[in-house]
Amino acid sequence: EVQLIESGGGIVQPGGSLRLSCAASGFTFSNYWMDWVRQAPGKGLVWVARILIDGTSTYADSVKGRFTISRDNAENTLYLQMNNLRAEDTAVYFCARDVFGGDLNWGQGTLVRVSS
Amino acid sequence: SFELTQPPSVSVSPGQTAIISCSGDKLRDEFASWYQQRSGQSPLLIIYQNTKRPTGVPERFSGSTSGNTATLTISGTQAMDEADYYCQAWDRSTVVFGGGTKLTVL
């Protein structure tokens, strides 16, 4: 069974940093593209970042230069390092596995709240 | 970047057909995916590559595309289909979700 379990969310002050993790199991992690997607309270889904099999990464303009996606294939773990956080980064952050060009599997999400 | 536009809401009676559209120029060149998100749950992929259903997704869900518009059709809509629906497309540098459509089954 494919499982994605996010962790690392919490409350952080504006300008602060946080690192999210996504533990993957039930599939060969190194063979798949992975995404981070967020959802602000009561709002829609917004893509944040993608990392390919070879480690190439792409970002939404709103987080470029502040967030870094990475993967540890030996540990089957996806990361999102978030720096210089802003109030508008408050959201539930989901990790997702891309299959066939769609995000087939999703975690349960971890809540990040940026507040002073 | 690019944009995908969905209607904010669609209403349908039980047993009828619900149609949700997603428009954007990128859809002329790239595949669309569709997601269902019930209240308080993680999204669920229901359509990928414009028309394909992942294993386990009911046949009443179908996808199509024409020009710059992708369409999700739910035939014989059931009360359990009440949810938010999102389209998605991507290219080499970005992934975009539509704004989402709230489907109400009256």
Side-chain angles (χ1 to χ4, degrees), chain A:
Chain A
E1 178 194 4
V2 172
Q3 281 198 310
L4 298 170
I5 301 175
E6 302 94 337
S7 61
I11 301 174
V12 60
Q13 293 188 339
S17 297
L18 215 53
R19 188 176 83 155
L20 305 183
S21 299
C22 171
S25 61
F27 64 100
T28 305
F29 178 71
S30 59
N31 287 354
Y32 291 91
W33 298 0
M34 298 294 295
D35 288 326
W36 284 102
V37 177
R38 69 185 181 185
Q39 187 170 35
K43 302 298 185 180
L45 301 174
V46 175
W47 172 75
V48 173
R50 166 170 284 180
I51 188 164
L52 308 187
I53 295 172
D54 64 359
T56 302
S57 57
T58 54
Y59 300 90
D61 288 344
S62 59
V63 306
K64 204 172 294 184
R66 300 189 299 124
F67 289 12
T68 302
I69 187 172
S70 61
R71 64 193 303 161
D72 184 334
N73 290 336
E75 295 294 327
N76 294 330
T77 303
L78 177 72
Y79 299 101
L80 185 68
Q81 176 67 43
M82 304 186 296
N83 298 330
N84 191 20
L85 282 160
R86 307 166 179 168
E88 54 265 35
D89 296 319
T90 294
V92 173
Y93 285 73
F94 298 98
C95 68
R97 178 177 75 134
D98 180 279
V99 182
F100 327 122
D103 287 315
L104 180 62
N105 305 104
W106 295 68
Q108 82 289 351
T110 186
L111 176 62
V112 172
R113 183 177 175 189
V114 184
S115 174
S116 55

Side-chain angles (χ1 to χ4, degrees), chain A residues 39 44 47 100-101 103 106-107, chain B residues 35 37 42 48-49 88 90 95:
Chain A
Q39 187 170 35
W47 172 75
F100 327 122
D103 287 315
W106 295 68
Chain B
Y35 299 85
Q37 188 180 33
S42 299
Y48 66 98
Q49 292 180 11
Q88 178 206 48
W90 58 275
V95 178

Side-chain angles (χ1 to χ4, degrees), chain B residues 1-4 23-32 50 65 67-69 88-94 96:
Chain B
S1 188
F2 58 92
E3 293 184 354
L4 298 175
S23 62
D25 286 342
K26 186 63 69 171
L27 296 177
R28 297 182 186 277
D29 305 313
E30 307 295 347
F31 287 126
N50 292 338
T65 185
N68 73 335
T69 300
Q88 178 206 48
W90 58 275
D91 63 15
R92 291 174 58 88
S93 61
T94 192
V96 173

